[in-house]
Coordinates of all heavy atoms in Angstrom, one line a residue:
M1 N -5.8 -19.2 8.8 CA -6.4 -18.2 8.0 C -5.2 -17.6 7.1 O -4.3 -17.1 7.7 CB -7.1 -17.2 8.8 CG -7.9 -16.2 8.0 SD -8.7 -15.0 9.1 CE -10.3 -15.7 9.2
N2 N -5.4 -17.5 5.8 CA -4.3 -17.0 5.0 C -4.4 -15.5 5.0 O -5.3 -14.9 5.5 CB -4.3 -17.6 3.6 CG -5.6 -17.2 2.8 OD1 -6.3 -16.3 3.2 ND2 -5.9 -18.0 1.8
D3 N -3.4 -14.8 4.4 CA -3.3 -13.4 4.4 C -4.5 -12.7 3.7 O -5.0 -11.7 4.1 CB -2.0 -12.9 3.7 CG -0.8 -13.2 4.6 OD1 -1.0 -13.4 5.8 OD2 0.3 -13.3 4.1
N4 N -5.0 -13.3 2.6 CA -6.1 -12.7 1.8 C -7.4 -12.7 2.7 O -8.1 -11.8 2.7 CB -6.4 -13.5 0.6 CG -5.3 -13.3 -0.5 OD1 -4.6 -12.3 -0.4 ND2 -5.1 -14.2 -1.4
A5 N -7.6 -13.8 3.4 CA -8.8 -13.9 4.3 C -8.7 -12.9 5.4 O -9.7 -12.3 5.8 CB -8.9 -15.3 4.8
K6 N -7.5 -12.7 5.9 CA -7.3 -11.7 7.0 C -7.6 -10.3 6.5 O -8.2 -9.5 7.2 CB -5.9 -11.7 7.6 CG -5.6 -13.0 8.4 CD -4.2 -13.0 8.9 CE -3.9 -14.3 9.6 NZ -2.5 -14.4 10.1
V7 N -7.1 -10.0 5.3 CA -7.4 -8.7 4.7 C -8.9 -8.4 4.4 O -9.4 -7.4 4.8 CB -6.6 -8.5 3.4 CG1 -7.0 -7.3 2.6 CG2 -5.1 -8.5 3.6
V8 N -9.5 -9.5 3.9 CA -11.0 -9.3 3.7 C -11.7 -9.2 5.0 O -12.6 -8.3 5.1 CB -11.5 -10.6 2.9 CG1 -13.0 -10.6 2.8 CG2 -10.9 -10.6 1.5
A9 N -11.4 -9.9 6.0 CA -12.0 -9.8 7.3 C -11.8 -8.4 7.9 O -12.8 -7.8 8.4 CB -11.5 -10.9 8.3
A10 N -10.6 -7.9 7.8 CA -10.3 -6.5 8.3 C -11.1 -5.5 7.5 O -11.6 -4.5 8.1 CB -8.8 -6.3 8.2
L11 N -11.1 -5.7 6.2 CA -11.9 -4.8 5.3 C -13.4 -4.8 5.7 O -14.0 -3.7 5.8 CB -11.7 -5.1 3.9 CG -12.4 -4.3 2.8 CD1 -11.8 -2.9 2.9 CD2 -12.3 -4.9 1.5
L12 N -13.9 -5.9 5.9 CA -15.4 -6.0 6.2 C -15.6 -5.4 7.6 O -16.6 -4.7 7.8 CB -15.8 -7.5 6.2 CG -15.9 -8.1 4.8 CD1 -16.3 -9.6 5.0 CD2 -17.0 -7.4 4.0
A13 N -14.7 -5.6 8.6 CA -14.9 -5.1 9.9 C -14.8 -3.5 9.8 O -15.6 -2.8 10.5 CB -13.8 -5.6 10.8
G14 N -13.8 -3.0 9.1 CA -13.7 -1.6 8.9 C -14.9 -1.0 8.2 O -15.4 0.1 8.6
L15 N -15.4 -1.7 7.2 CA -16.6 -1.2 6.5 C -17.8 -1.1 7.4 O -18.5 -0.2 7.4 CB -16.9 -2.1 5.3 CG -18.0 -1.8 4.4 CD1 -17.7 -0.5 3.7 CD2 -18.3 -2.9 3.4
A16 N -18.0 -2.2 8.2 CA -19.1 -2.2 9.2 C -19.0 -1.1 10.2 O -19.9 -0.4 10.5 CB -19.2 -3.6 9.9
A17 N -17.8 -0.9 10.7 CA -17.6 0.2 11.7 C -17.8 1.5 11.1 O -18.5 2.4 11.7 CB -16.1 0.1 12.3
G18 N -17.3 1.8 9.9 CA -17.5 3.0 9.3 C -19.0 3.3 9.0 O -19.5 4.4 9.2
A19 N -19.7 2.3 8.5 CA -21.1 2.4 8.2 C -21.9 2.7 9.5 O -22.8 3.6 9.5 CB -21.6 1.2 7.5
A20 N -21.6 2.0 10.6 CA -22.3 2.2 11.8 C -22.0 3.6 12.4 O -23.0 4.2 12.8 CB -21.8 1.1 12.8
L21 N -20.8 4.1 12.3 CA -20.5 5.4 12.8 C -21.2 6.5 11.9 O -21.7 7.4 12.4 CB -19.0 5.6 12.9 CG -18.3 4.9 14.0 CD1 -16.8 5.1 13.8 CD2 -18.7 5.4 15.3
G22 N -21.2 6.3 10.6 CA -21.8 7.2 9.7 C -23.3 7.3 10.0 O -23.9 8.4 10.0
I23 N -23.9 6.2 10.2 CA -25.4 6.1 10.5 C -25.7 6.8 11.8 O -26.6 7.5 12.0 CB -25.9 4.7 10.4 CG1 -25.8 4.2 8.9 CG2 -27.3 4.6 10.9 CD1 -26.1 2.8 8.7
L24 N -24.9 6.4 12.8 CA -25.1 7.0 14.2 C -25.0 8.5 14.2 O -25.7 9.1 15.0 CB -24.2 6.3 15.2 CG -24.4 4.8 15.5 CD1 -23.3 4.3 16.4 CD2 -25.8 4.7 16.2
F25 N -24.1 9.0 13.5 CA -23.9 10.5 13.5 C -24.7 11.2 12.4 O -24.6 12.5 12.3 CB -22.4 10.8 13.3 CG -21.6 10.5 14.6 CD1 -20.8 9.4 14.6 CD2 -21.8 11.2 15.8 CE1 -20.0 9.1 15.7 CE2 -21.1 10.9 16.9 CZ -20.2 9.8 16.9
A26 N -25.5 10.5 11.7 CA -26.4 11.2 10.7 C -27.5 11.8 11.3 O -28.0 11.4 12.4 CB -26.9 10.1 9.7
P27 N -28.0 12.9 10.8 CA -29.1 13.7 11.4 C -30.5 13.1 11.1 O -31.4 13.8 10.6 CB -28.9 15.1 10.8 CG -28.3 14.9 9.4 CD -27.5 13.6 9.6
D28 N -30.7 11.9 11.3 CA -32.0 11.2 11.1 C -32.7 10.9 12.4 O -32.0 11.0 13.4 CB -31.8 9.9 10.3 CG -31.4 10.1 8.9 OD1 -31.7 11.1 8.3 OD2 -30.7 9.2 8.3
K29 N -33.9 10.6 12.3 CA -34.7 10.2 13.5 C -34.1 8.9 14.0 O -33.4 8.1 13.3 CB -36.1 9.9 13.1 CG -37.0 11.1 12.9 CD -38.4 10.6 12.6 CE -39.3 11.8 12.4 NZ -40.7 11.3 12.2
G30 N -34.3 8.6 15.3 CA -33.8 7.4 15.9 C -34.3 6.1 15.2 O -33.5 5.2 15.0
T31 N -35.6 6.1 14.8 CA -36.1 4.9 14.2 C -35.4 4.7 12.8 O -35.1 3.5 12.4 CB -37.6 5.0 14.0 OG1 -37.9 6.2 13.3 CG2 -38.3 4.9 15.3
E32 N -35.3 5.8 12.1 CA -34.6 5.7 10.8 C -33.2 5.2 10.9 O -32.7 4.4 10.1 CB -34.7 7.0 10.0 CG -36.1 7.4 9.6 CD -36.1 8.8 9.0 OE1 -35.0 9.4 8.7 OE2 -37.2 9.3 8.8
T33 N -32.5 5.7 11.9 CA -31.1 5.4 12.1 C -31.0 3.9 12.5 O -30.1 3.2 12.0 CB -30.5 6.2 13.3 OG1 -30.6 7.6 12.9 CG2 -29.1 5.8 13.6
R34 N -31.9 3.4 13.3 CA -31.9 2.0 13.7 C -32.2 1.1 12.5 O -31.6 0.1 12.3 CB -32.9 1.7 14.8 CG -32.4 2.2 16.2 CD -33.3 1.7 17.3 NE -34.7 2.2 17.2 CZ -35.0 3.4 17.8 NH1 -34.2 4.2 18.4 NH2 -36.3 3.8 17.6
E35 N -33.1 1.5 11.6 CA -33.4 0.8 10.4 C -32.2 0.7 9.5 O -31.8 -0.3 9.0 CB -34.6 1.4 9.7 CG -35.9 1.1 10.3 CD -37.1 1.8 9.6 OE1 -36.9 2.1 8.4 OE2 -38.1 1.9 10.2
K36 N -31.5 1.9 9.3 CA -30.3 1.9 8.5 C -29.2 1.0 9.1 O -28.5 0.3 8.3 CB -29.8 3.3 8.3 CG -30.7 4.2 7.4 CD -30.1 5.6 7.3 CE -30.9 6.5 6.4 NZ -30.4 7.8 6.3
L37 N -29.0 1.1 10.4 CA -28.0 0.3 11.0 C -28.3 -1.2 10.9 O -27.5 -2.0 10.6 CB -27.9 0.7 12.5 CG -26.8 0.1 13.3 CD1 -25.5 0.3 12.7 CD2 -26.8 0.6 14.8
N38 N -29.6 -1.5 11.1 CA -30.0 -2.9 10.9 C -29.8 -3.4 9.5 O -29.3 -4.5 9.3 CB -31.5 -3.0 11.3 CG -32.0 -4.5 11.4 OD1 -31.2 -5.4 11.7 ND2 -33.2 -4.7 11.1
D39 N -30.1 -2.6 8.5 CA -29.9 -3.0 7.1 C -28.4 -3.1 6.8 O -28.0 -4.1 6.2 CB -30.4 -1.9 6.2 CG -32.0 -1.9 6.2 OD1 -32.6 -2.9 6.6 OD2 -32.5 -0.9 5.7
S40 N -27.5 -2.2 7.4 CA -26.1 -2.3 7.2 C -25.5 -3.6 7.8 O -24.7 -4.3 7.2 CB -25.4 -1.1 7.8 OG -25.7 0.0 7.1
L41 N -26.0 -3.9 9.0 CA -25.5 -5.1 9.7 C -26.0 -6.4 9.0 O -25.3 -7.4 8.9 CB -26.0 -5.1 11.1 CG -25.3 -4.1 12.0 CD1 -25.9 -4.1 13.4 CD2 -23.8 -4.3 12.1
K42 N -27.2 -6.3 8.4 CA -27.7 -7.5 7.6 C -26.9 -7.7 6.4 O -26.5 -8.8 6.1 CB -29.2 -7.2 7.3 CG -29.8 -8.4 6.6 CD -31.3 -8.1 6.4 CE -32.0 -9.3 5.8 NZ -33.4 -9.0 5.5
D43 N -26.5 -6.6 5.7 CA -25.7 -6.7 4.5 C -24.3 -7.2 4.9 O -23.7 -8.1 4.1 CB -25.5 -5.3 3.9 CG -26.8 -4.8 3.2 OD1 -27.7 -5.6 3.0 OD2 -26.9 -3.6 2.9
L44 N -23.8 -6.8 6.0 CA -22.5 -7.3 6.5 C -22.6 -8.8 6.7 O -21.7 -9.6 6.4 CB -22.0 -6.5 7.7 CG -20.7 -7.1 8.3 CD1 -19.5 -6.9 7.3 CD2 -20.4 -6.3 9.6
G45 N -23.6 -9.2 7.4 CA -23.8 -10.6 7.7 C -23.9 -11.4 6.4 O -23.3 -12.5 6.3
D46 N -24.6 -10.9 5.4 CA -24.7 -11.6 4.1 C -23.3 -11.7 3.5 O -23.0 -12.8 2.9 CB -25.7 -10.9 3.2 CG -27.1 -11.0 3.7 OD1 -27.4 -11.9 4.5 OD2 -28.0 -10.2 3.2
A47 N -22.6 -10.6 3.5 CA -21.2 -10.7 2.9 C -20.3 -11.7 3.6 O -19.6 -12.4 3.0 CB -20.6 -9.3 3.0
I48 N -20.4 -11.8 4.9 CA -19.6 -12.7 5.7 C -20.0 -14.1 5.4 O -19.2 -15.0 5.2 CB -19.7 -12.4 7.2 CG1 -19.0 -11.1 7.6 CG2 -19.2 -13.6 8.0 CD1 -19.2 -10.7 9.0
K49 N -21.3 -14.4 5.3 CA -21.8 -15.7 4.9 C -21.3 -16.1 3.5 O -20.9 -17.3 3.3 CB -23.4 -15.8 4.9 CG -24.0 -15.8 6.3 CD -25.5 -15.8 6.2 CE -26.1 -15.7 7.6 NZ -27.6 -15.6 7.5
E50 N -21.4 -15.2 2.6 CA -20.9 -15.4 1.2 C -19.4 -15.8 1.2 O -19.0 -16.8 0.6 CB -21.1 -14.2 0.4 CG -21.8 -14.4 -0.9 CD -22.0 -13.1 -1.6 OE1 -21.1 -12.6 -2.3 OE2 -23.2 -12.5 -1.5
R51 N -18.6 -15.0 1.9 CA -17.2 -15.2 2.0 C -16.9 -16.6 2.7 O -16.0 -17.3 2.2 CB -16.5 -14.1 2.7 CG -15.0 -14.2 2.8 CD -14.4 -14.0 1.5 NE -12.9 -14.1 1.6 CZ -12.1 -14.3 0.7 NH1 -12.5 -14.4 -0.6 NH2 -10.8 -14.4 0.9
T52 N -17.6 -16.9 3.7 CA -17.4 -18.1 4.4 C -17.7 -19.3 3.5 O -17.0 -20.3 3.5 CB -18.3 -18.2 5.7 OG1 -18.0 -17.1 6.5 CG2 -18.1 -19.5 6.4
A53 N -18.8 -19.2 2.7 CA -19.2 -20.3 1.8 C -18.1 -20.5 0.8 O -17.7 -21.6 0.4 CB -20.5 -20.0 1.1
E54 N -17.5 -19.4 0.3 CA -16.4 -19.5 -0.7 C -15.2 -20.2 -0.1 O -14.6 -21.1 -0.7 CB -16.0 -18.1 -1.2 CG -17.0 -17.4 -2.1 CD -16.6 -16.0 -2.4 OE1 -15.5 -15.5 -2.0 OE2 -17.5 -15.3 -3.0
Q55 N -14.9 -19.8 1.1 CA -13.7 -20.4 1.8 C -13.9 -21.9 2.1 O -13.0 -22.7 1.9 CB -13.4 -19.6 3.1 CG -12.8 -18.2 2.8 CD -11.5 -18.3 2.0 OE1 -10.6 -19.1 2.3 NE2 -11.4 -17.3 1.1
L56 N -15.2 -22.2 2.5 CA -15.5 -23.6 2.7 C -15.4 -24.4 1.4 O -14.9 -25.6 1.4 CB -16.9 -23.8 3.3 CG -17.0 -23.4 4.8 CD1 -18.4 -23.4 5.2 CD2 -16.1 -24.3 5.7
E57 N -15.8 -23.8 0.3 CA -15.7 -24.5 -1.0 C -14.2 -24.8 -1.3 O -13.9 -25.9 -1.8 CB -16.4 -23.7 -2.0 CG -16.5 -24.4 -3.4 CD -17.2 -23.6 -4.4 OE1 -18.2 -22.9 -4.0 OE2 -16.9 -23.7 -5.6
H58 N -13.4 -23.7 -1.1 CA -12.0 -23.9 -1.4 C -11.4 -25.0 -0.5 O -10.5 -25.8 -1.0 CB -11.2 -22.6 -1.2 CG -11.5 -21.6 -2.3 ND1 -11.3 -21.8 -3.6 CD2 -12.1 -20.3 -2.2 CE1 -11.6 -20.7 -4.3 NE2 -12.1 -19.8 -3.5
L59 N -11.7 -25.0 0.7 CA -11.2 -25.9 1.7 C -11.7 -27.3 1.3 O -10.9 -28.3 1.4 CB -11.7 -25.6 3.1 CG -11.1 -26.4 4.2 CD1 -9.6 -26.3 4.3 CD2 -11.7 -26.0 5.6
N60 N -12.9 -27.5 0.9 CA -13.4 -28.8 0.4 C -12.6 -29.3 -0.8 O -12.3 -30.5 -0.9 CB -14.9 -28.7 0.2 CG -15.5 -30.1 0.1 OD1 -15.0 -31.1 0.7 ND2 -16.6 -30.2 -0.7
D61 N -12.4 -28.4 -1.7 CA -11.6 -28.8 -2.9 C -10.2 -29.2 -2.5 O -9.7 -30.2 -3.1 CB -11.5 -27.6 -3.9 CG -12.8 -27.2 -4.6 OD1 -13.8 -28.1 -4.5 OD2 -13.0 -26.1 -5.1
F62 N -9.6 -28.5 -1.6 CA -8.2 -28.8 -1.2 C -8.3 -30.2 -0.5 O -7.4 -31.0 -0.7 CB -7.7 -27.8 -0.2 CG -6.4 -28.1 0.4 CD1 -5.2 -28.0 -0.4 CD2 -6.2 -28.4 1.7 CE1 -4.0 -28.3 0.1 CE2 -5.0 -28.7 2.2 CZ -3.9 -28.7 1.4
K63 N -9.3 -30.5 0.3 CA -9.4 -31.7 1.0 C -9.5 -32.9 0.0 O -8.9 -33.9 0.2 CB -10.6 -31.7 2.0 CG -10.9 -33.1 2.7 CD -12.3 -33.2 3.2 CE -13.2 -33.5 2.0 NZ -14.5 -34.0 2.3
E64 N -10.3 -32.7 -1.0 CA -10.5 -33.7 -2.0 C -9.2 -34.0 -2.8 O -8.9 -35.2 -3.0 CB -11.6 -33.3 -3.0 CG -13.0 -33.3 -2.4 CD -14.1 -32.8 -3.4 OE1 -13.8 -32.6 -4.6 OE2 -15.2 -32.7 -2.9
K65 N -8.4 -33.0 -3.0 CA -7.1 -33.2 -3.7 C -6.2 -33.9 -2.8 O -5.4 -34.8 -3.2 CB -6.5 -31.8 -4.0 CG -7.2 -31.1 -5.2 CD -6.5 -29.8 -5.5 CE -7.3 -29.1 -6.6 NZ -6.7 -27.7 -6.9
V66 N -6.1 -33.6 -1.5 CA -5.3 -34.3 -0.6 C -5.7 -35.8 -0.4 O -4.8 -36.7 -0.5 CB -5.3 -33.6 0.8 CG1 -4.6 -34.5 1.9 CG2 -4.6 -32.2 0.7
V67 N -7.0 -36.0 -0.3 CA -7.5 -37.4 -0.2 C -7.1 -38.2 -1.5 O -6.6 -39.3 -1.4 CB -9.0 -37.4 0.1 CG1 -9.6 -38.8 -0.1 CG2 -9.3 -36.9 1.5
A68 N -7.3 -37.6 -2.6 CA -6.9 -38.3 -3.9 C -5.4 -38.6 -3.9 O -5.0 -39.7 -4.4 CB -7.4 -37.4 -5.1
A69 N -4.6 -37.6 -3.5 CA -3.2 -37.8 -3.5 C -2.8 -39.0 -2.6 O -1.9 -39.8 -2.9 CB -2.4 -36.5 -3.2
V70 N -3.4 -39.0 -1.4 CA -3.0 -40.0 -0.4 C -3.5 -41.4 -0.9 O -2.7 -42.4 -0.8 CB -3.7 -39.7 1.0 CG1 -3.6 -40.9 1.9 CG2 -3.0 -38.5 1.6
K71 N -4.7 -41.5 -1.5 CA -5.1 -42.7 -2.1 C -4.2 -43.2 -3.2 O -3.9 -44.4 -3.3 CB -6.6 -42.6 -2.6 CG -7.6 -42.6 -1.5 CD -9.0 -42.4 -2.1 CE -10.0 -42.4 -1.0 NZ -11.4 -42.3 -1.5
S72 N -3.8 -42.3 -4.0 CA -2.9 -42.7 -5.1 C -1.6 -43.2 -4.6 O -1.1 -44.2 -5.0 CB -2.6 -41.4 -6.0 OG -1.6 -41.7 -6.9
K73 N -1.0 -42.6 -3.5 CA 0.2 -43.0 -2.9 C 0.0 -44.4 -2.3 O 0.9 -45.3 -2.4 CB 0.7 -42.1 -1.9 CG 1.1 -40.7 -2.4 CD 2.5 -40.6 -2.8 CE 2.7 -39.2 -3.2 NZ 4.0 -39.0 -3.9
L74 N -1.1 -44.6 -1.6 CA -1.4 -45.9 -1.0 C -1.5 -47.0 -2.1 O -1.0 -48.1 -1.9 CB -2.7 -45.8 -0.2 CG -2.6 -45.1 1.2 CD1 -3.9 -45.0 1.8 CD2 -1.6 -45.8 2.1
N75 N -2.2 -46.7 -3.2 CA -2.3 -47.7 -4.2 C -0.9 -48.1 -4.8 O -0.7 -49.3 -5.0 CB -3.2 -47.2 -5.3 CG -4.7 -47.2 -4.9 OD1 -5.1 -47.9 -4.0 ND2 -5.4 -46.3 -5.6
K76 N -0.1 -47.1 -5.0 CA 1.3 -47.4 -5.5 C 2.0 -48.2 -4.5 O 2.8 -49.1 -4.9 CB 2.0 -46.1 -5.8 CG 1.5 -45.3 -7.0 CD 2.2 -44.0 -7.2 CE 1.7 -43.3 -8.4 NZ 2.3 -42.0 -8.6
S77 N 1.9 -47.9 -3.2 CA 2.6 -48.7 -2.2 C 2.1 -50.1 -2.1 O 2.9 -51.0 -2.0 CB 2.4 -48.0 -0.8 OG 3.0 -46.8 -0.8
D78 N 0.8 -50.3 -2.3 CA 0.2 -51.6 -2.3 C 0.7 -52.4 -3.5 O 1.1 -53.6 -3.4 CB -1.3 -51.6 -2.4 CG -2.0 -51.2 -1.0 OD1 -1.3 -51.3 0.0 OD2 -3.2 -50.9 -1.0
E79 N 0.8 -51.8 -4.7 CA 1.3 -52.4 -5.8 C 2.8 -52.8 -5.7 O 3.2 -53.9 -6.0 CB 1.1 -51.5 -7.1 CG -0.3 -51.4 -7.5 CD -0.5 -50.3 -8.6 OE1 0.5 -49.7 -9.1 OE2 -1.7 -50.0 -8.9
A80 N 3.5 -51.9 -5.1 CA 5.0 -52.2 -4.9 C 5.1 -53.4 -3.9 O 6.0 -54.3 -4.1 CB 5.7 -51.0 -4.4
L81 N 4.3 -53.4 -2.8 CA 4.4 -54.4 -1.9 C 4.0 -55.8 -2.5 O 4.7 -56.8 -2.2 CB 3.5 -54.1 -0.7 CG 3.5 -55.1 0.5 CD1 4.8 -55.3 1.1 CD2 2.4 -54.7 1.5
E82 N 2.9 -55.8 -3.2 CA 2.5 -57.0 -3.9 C 3.6 -57.5 -4.9 O 3.8 -58.7 -4.9 CB 1.2 -56.8 -4.6 CG 0.0 -56.7 -3.7 CD -1.3 -56.3 -4.5 OE1 -1.3 -56.3 -5.7 OE2 -2.3 -56.0 -3.8
G83 N 4.2 -56.6 -5.6 CA 5.3 -57.0 -6.5 C 6.4 -57.6 -5.7 O 7.0 -58.6 -6.2
A84 N 6.8 -57.0 -4.6 CA 7.9 -57.5 -3.8 C 7.6 -58.9 -3.2 O 8.4 -59.8 -3.2 CB 8.3 -56.5 -2.7
L85 N 6.3 -59.1 -2.8 CA 5.9 -60.4 -2.3 C 5.9 -61.4 -3.3 O 6.3 -62.6 -3.1 CB 4.5 -60.3 -1.6 CG 4.5 -59.5 -0.3 CD1 3.0 -59.3 0.1 CD2 5.3 -60.1 0.8
E86 N 5.5 -61.1 -4.5 CA 5.5 -62.1 -5.6 C 7.0 -62.5 -6.0 O 7.2 -63.7 -6.3 CB 4.8 -61.5 -6.9 CG 3.3 -61.4 -6.7 CD 2.6 -60.8 -7.9 OE1 3.3 -60.4 -8.9 OE2 1.4 -60.6 -7.8
E87 N 7.9 -61.5 -5.9 CA 9.3 -61.9 -6.3 C 9.9 -62.8 -5.2 O 10.7 -63.7 -5.6 CB 10.1 -60.6 -6.3 CG 9.9 -59.7 -7.5 CD 10.7 -58.4 -7.4 OE1 11.6 -58.3 -6.6 OE2 10.4 -57.5 -8.3
H88 N 9.5 -62.7 -4.0 CA 10.1 -63.5 -2.9 C 9.3 -64.8 -2.7 O 9.7 -65.6 -1.8 CB 10.2 -62.7 -1.6 CG 11.2 -61.6 -1.8 ND1 12.5 -61.8 -2.0 CD2 11.0 -60.2 -1.7 CE1 13.1 -60.6 -2.1 NE2 12.2 -59.7 -1.9
A89 N 8.2 -65.0 -3.4 CA 7.4 -66.2 -3.1 C 7.8 -67.4 -3.9 O 8.7 -67.5 -4.6 CB 5.9 -65.9 -3.5

């Protein structure tokens, strides 16, 4: 996990903890407090899903670049090997 992802994860965790504490200490009825807490947790879950999807997309892009680079190197190696074999044949 890179530094940006760690910062975002810490920020989301702090946000969730702050929202939960704020709701728990608010002077509302228990049912209203539970609804607010449930909504906050749902929003946090949605934010985490969104961030995860973004990170997976970046990881997939990186994977595709690595695979393309490896294939390119293999093709060059194959061409060099074929050229060397033709010279010695």
Side-chain angles (χ1 to χ4, degrees):
M1 187 181 263
N2 63 20
D3 289 338
N4 289 338
K6 289 178 185 177
V7 169
V8 170
L11 180 66
L12 290 174
L15 183 67
L21 287 173
I23 291 170
L24 289 174
F25 288 109
D28 290 332
K29 289 181 174 182
T31 55
E32 291 175 11
T33 300
R34 284 190 296 274
E35 285 178 19
K36 287 181 182 178
L37 186 57
N38 189 28
D39 290 342
S40 293
L41 291 174
K42 187 176 182 181
D43 291 343
L44 176 63
D46 291 343
I48 290 172
K49 286 178 185 177
E50 231 176 82
R51 182 68 179 165
T52 301
E54 290 173 5
Q55 290 299 319
L56 285 174
E57 185 176 328
H58 289 298
L59 186 60
N60 195 27
D61 291 344
F62 178 71
K63 178 199 74 161
E64 289 176 8
K65 288 179 184 177
V66 169
V67 167
V70 168
K71 284 182 179 179
S72 173
K73 299 273 185 191
L74 286 174
N75 287 338
K76 288 179 183 176
S77 296
D78 283 346
E79 290 171 4
L81 180 62
E82 287 175 8
L85 289 174
E86 287 176 4
E87 288 178 11
H88 295 297

